Amino acid sequence: MAFTGTAHLAAPTPPSLRRLSPKLRHLPTTHTLKFRPVSASVDVRFPNWSPGSWKTKKAQQLPEYPDPVELESVLKTLESFPPLVFAGEARNLEERLADAAVGKAFLLQGGDCAESFKEFNGTNIRDTFRVLLQMGVVLTFGGQMPVIMVGRMAGQFAKPRSDPFEVKDGVKLPSYRGDNINSDAFDEKSRIPDPQRLIRAYLQSVGTLNLLRAFATGGYAAMQRVSQWNLDFVQNREQGDRYMELAQRVDDALGFMAAAGLTTDHPVMNTIEFWTSHECLHLPYEQALTRQDSTTGLFYDCSAHMLWVGERTRQLDGAHVEFLRGISNPLGIKVSDKMDPKQLVKLCDILNPHNKPGRLAIITRMGADNMRVKLPLLIRAVRQAGLIVTWVSDPMHGNTIKAPCGLKTRSFDSIRSELRAFFDVHDQEGSHPGGVHLEMTGQNVTECIGGSKTVTFDDLNSRYHTHCDPRLNASQSLELAFAIAERLRRKRMRSASGFHKGQKDVSTIKEF
């Protein structure tokens, strides 16, 4: 497959709360991109790799299309489309993640379990973005460090399935694999993979990115608006009150700055950096959006700034690892309690042979009890190998249960317990907790049980809207952010006070 020509593309400065970084980094707003054919090109760093070399490996979780000719036509169309993101933006994210690897920044990665066509509208995008802004302010205030904001947005459609088939009332049909592949409607026609859905997913990603860029750089994310980000249904709850108290402190700080002659009109106070990410699952789509950067000669998957490989597709000799090893985007590796430490080291060596800081994030998803047993072994193996990684907690996927009504759900207490274990282990090992990865939404859903505004099993049916896995709602997300922020604050205070390992912090402020 080939993509040729020259394009001059103007875009807003890409989306870590740039205004909160110790250094101001400004990116040009106009990018000149020269696209080269990708099928015959070879990255000099990986002489045996090309964007299509994954086809020589065994691929898991890929749909089987009934019309390969139509699929090929769609992929050629996608090759002719502009990239969704730029190589320079991905490199910028890699720099920030390198800071998180050494405890100088914190990654906040969140968004939908799976984006859907039916729920695609500006209000939903805005509300999720708004909750992430709130969480970012809370974490920054607690940790006193830059927060790197990455959305599971503008491309998080495809979902891996544990079973290729689904049975309801004795009827067996292919599983729903995400709106970019088939429909969740339970009938034979809807479950047939349709290549045209890839085009629609691309166009929806374009629209989502356009709105996110506007929010990030058009004044909506200005620090002066911090008190206006509260969602209506959160305002009169405990988390809303806590957030407004913090917002007032931010407003007071801004007032002090203005009185001292530091204007709030500076771009660093009015814009933020925001990046996008999704699981690298549908390899034909990812290959179609892979471009070679003319300034460096490196390949980037321009469907997102960051991609991750999942638990079901991270085989060392598999197609997904083969594809990811040759692209230069920052990468994540989802890791459960099943991961062998030696295998993890081998996987890191394959995906990051030059041990580049910021290149790899290890995203752990184990459950609280397993986390305390398994994570120390992984940390020690990675450290002994001399590898530089960013450790991130995904407290969602290891805590999925089935409610009495039959719906999948997650307990907020279990999520919080896994995060507590994540921080405890890093304290114990002397390593850096670099971030959190959440499935959450700005909608007022009832999908995860618990939280200060308790959602019970009986409440699940009232506003259960997810197309796949249960998500935290805005109130639960904000409550979790306050707990993490307090843990970051305590870590900072221990460091500043010269606390020794094992010495207790007598703070009475509630955290996990």
Side-chain angles (χ1 to χ4, degrees):
M1 292 182 275
F3 189 91
T4 60
T6 302
H8 299 271
L9 303 175
T13 302
S16 131
L17 290 168
R18 182 197 301 141
R19 59 174 167 275
L20 299 169
S21 298
K23 298 179 181 178
L24 305 185
R25 301 179 176 97
H26 299 282
L27 296 180
T29 57
T30 301
H31 304 257
T32 301
L33 302 176
K34 294 183 179 179
F35 303 129
R36 304 173 181 175
V38 299
S39 59
S41 300
V42 174
D43 189 328
V44 295
R45 301 174 307 160
F46 304 104
N48 298 319
W49 183 91
S50 71
S53 61
W54 63 268
K55 296 176 183 177
T56 65
K57 306 288 186 177
K58 184 177 180 179
Q60 305 284 346
Q61 298 288 333
L62 292 187
E64 295 183 9
Y65 289 92
D67 188 346
V69 175
E70 183 184 11
L71 173 63
E72 187 63 25
S73 175
V74 165
L75 294 175
K76 287 185 181 296
T77 299
L78 287 169
E79 286 179 353
S80 70
F81 284 172
L84 292 172
V85 303
F86 304 111
E89 296 174 340
R91 285 193 291 269
N92 197 35
L93 173 57
E94 188 176 66
E95 291 179 13
R96 305 295 193 272
L97 291 172
D99 289 339
V102 294
K104 295 182 178 179
F106 192 82
L107 171 65
L108 171 60
Q109 188 173 13
D112 264 322
C113 167
E115 294 173 281
S116 75
F117 294 160
K118 287 183 286 189
E119 294 188 2
F120 173 52
N121 61 69
T123 299
N124 286 345
I125 296 169
R126 180 203 63 198
D127 287 351
T128 297
F129 181 75
R130 187 156 60 171
V131 174
L132 287 168
L133 285 177
Q134 290 182 287
M135 296 173 73
V137 168
V138 170
L139 294 173
T140 303
F141 217 81
Q144 297 289 293
M145 67 172 67
V147 171
I148 309 161
M149 295 178 62
V150 179
R152 288 175 55 113
M153 305 172 75
Q156 178 55 23
F157 291 98
K159 295 296 295 181
R161 311 308 300 184
S162 56
D163 193 322
F165 293 97
E166 182 181 353
V167 179
K168 283 186 180 180
D169 300 324
V171 178
K172 183 178 181 181
L173 292 176
S175 292
Y176 168 64
R177 291 182 174 272
D179 274 9
N180 64 335
I181 296 173
N182 57 8
S183 171
D184 63 343
F186 196 75
D187 61 76
E188 188 173 356
K189 183 179 179 181
S190 297
R191 294 300 175 92
I192 297 174
D194 179 3
Q196 297 300 325
R197 286 177 166 267
L198 296 174
I199 300 290
R200 186 172 178 182
Y202 171 90
L203 295 176
Q204 180 167 320
S205 298
V206 170
T208 301
L209 268 166
N210 183 58
L211 195 56
L212 289 172
R213 291 182 189 276
F215 285 146
T217 63
Y220 185 84
M223 284 299 289
Q224 301 92 296
R225 296 175 57 94
V226 65
S227 61
Q228 299 174 34
W229 296 337
N230 227 0
L231 290 158
D232 293 339
F233 62 85
V234 179
Q235 285 182 356
N236 297 320
R237 298 180 181 177
E238 178 185 350
Q239 305 315 318
D241 292 341
R242 293 179 70 188
Y243 177 77
M244 290 308 295
E245 180 182 345
L246 184 147
Q248 183 59 55
R249 295 171 67 183
V250 173
D251 284 338
D252 290 345
L254 293 175
F256 172 81
M257 291 169 60
L262 301 174
T263 175
T264 56
D265 293 333
H266 194 285
V268 78
M269 299 301 294
N270 288 288
T271 63
I272 67 162
E273 290 178 318
F274 192 88
W275 291 274
T276 61
S277 66
H278 62 253
E279 181 174 358
C280 177
L281 199 58
H282 196 294
L283 291 177
Y285 177 84
E286 303 299 344
Q287 180 186 344
L289 289 175
T290 297
R291 307 287 185 263
Q292 189 171 20
D293 178 34
S294 61
T295 61
T296 63
L298 304 178
F299 286 94
Y300 286 85
D301 183 345
C302 295
S303 67
H305 299 105
M306 178 182 182
L307 297 105
W308 69 85
V309 63
E311 174 76 8
R312 297 181 179 93
T313 54
R314 56 170 172 75
Q315 297 83 8
L316 297 180
D317 58 351
H320 291 80
V321 170
E322 170 63 21
F323 174 77
L324 288 171
R325 76 179 180 92
I327 62 170
S328 297
N329 306 60
L331 304 176
I333 305 171
K334 284 290 189 83
V335 171
S336 75
D337 59 301
K338 299 174 185 177
M339 173 60 87
D340 177 76
K342 293 180 180 178
Q343 290 290 99
L344 178 59
V345 170
K346 289 180 181 178
L347 185 54
C348 290
D349 284 338
I350 293 172
L351 294 177
N352 191 20
H354 305 291
N355 201 21
K356 189 176 183 182
R359 162 73 168 172
L360 282 186
I362 298 179
I363 307 169
T364 58
R365 37 158 294 183
M366 300 181 177
D369 292 339
N370 288 328
M371 180 75 72
R372 295 184 184 278
V373 175
K374 298 290 186 178
L375 182 57
L377 303 179
L378 298 181
I379 292 174
R380 293 166 196 169
V382 167
R383 178 189 290 134
Q384 187 174 5
L387 302 178
I388 303 170
V389 302
T390 303
W391 292 99
V392 179
S393 172
D394 168 3
M396 309 294 292
H397 284 88
N399 294 297
T400 305
I401 58 174
K402 182 173 284 191
C405 63
L407 293 173
K408 287 195 293 185
T409 188
R410 289 160 173 160
S411 164
F412 184 83
D413 288 344
S414 296
I415 292 168
R416 189 168 52 188
S417 293
E418 180 159 349
L419 274 170
R420 183 190 300 121
F422 176 74
F423 277 89
D424 286 348
V425 168
H426 282 289
D427 281 351
Q428 164 194 314
E429 297 297 322
S431 47
H432 300 289
V436 62
H437 180 116
L438 303 172
E439 290 185 342
M440 40 79 66
T441 177
Q443 300 176 57
N444 187 19
V445 299
T446 53
E447 296 171 1
C448 293
I449 59 172
S452 60
K453 179 68 175 179
T454 306
V455 176
T456 67
F457 285 127
D458 293 336
D459 297 323
L460 291 178
N461 279 307
S462 60
R463 293 184 302 279
Y464 194 96
H465 302 317
T466 183
H467 287 258
C468 195
D469 291 333
R471 304 161 294 177
L472 297 169
N473 62 31
S475 178
Q476 292 167 329
S477 300
L478 202 52
E479 183 175 352
L480 205 61
F482 275 110
I484 297 170
E486 176 55 24
R487 191 63 186 249
L488 291 174
R489 187 199 70 81
R490 291 178 59 181
K491 187 175 187 297
R492 173 172 54 85
M493 295 301 291
R494 284 198 302 270
S495 177
S497 303
F499 278 12
H500 298 292
K501 189 174 180 181
Q503 186 171 350
K504 295 192 176 185
D505 183 348
V506 295
S507 169
T508 57
I509 300 177
K510 181 171 64 175
E511 43 119 334
F512 288 117

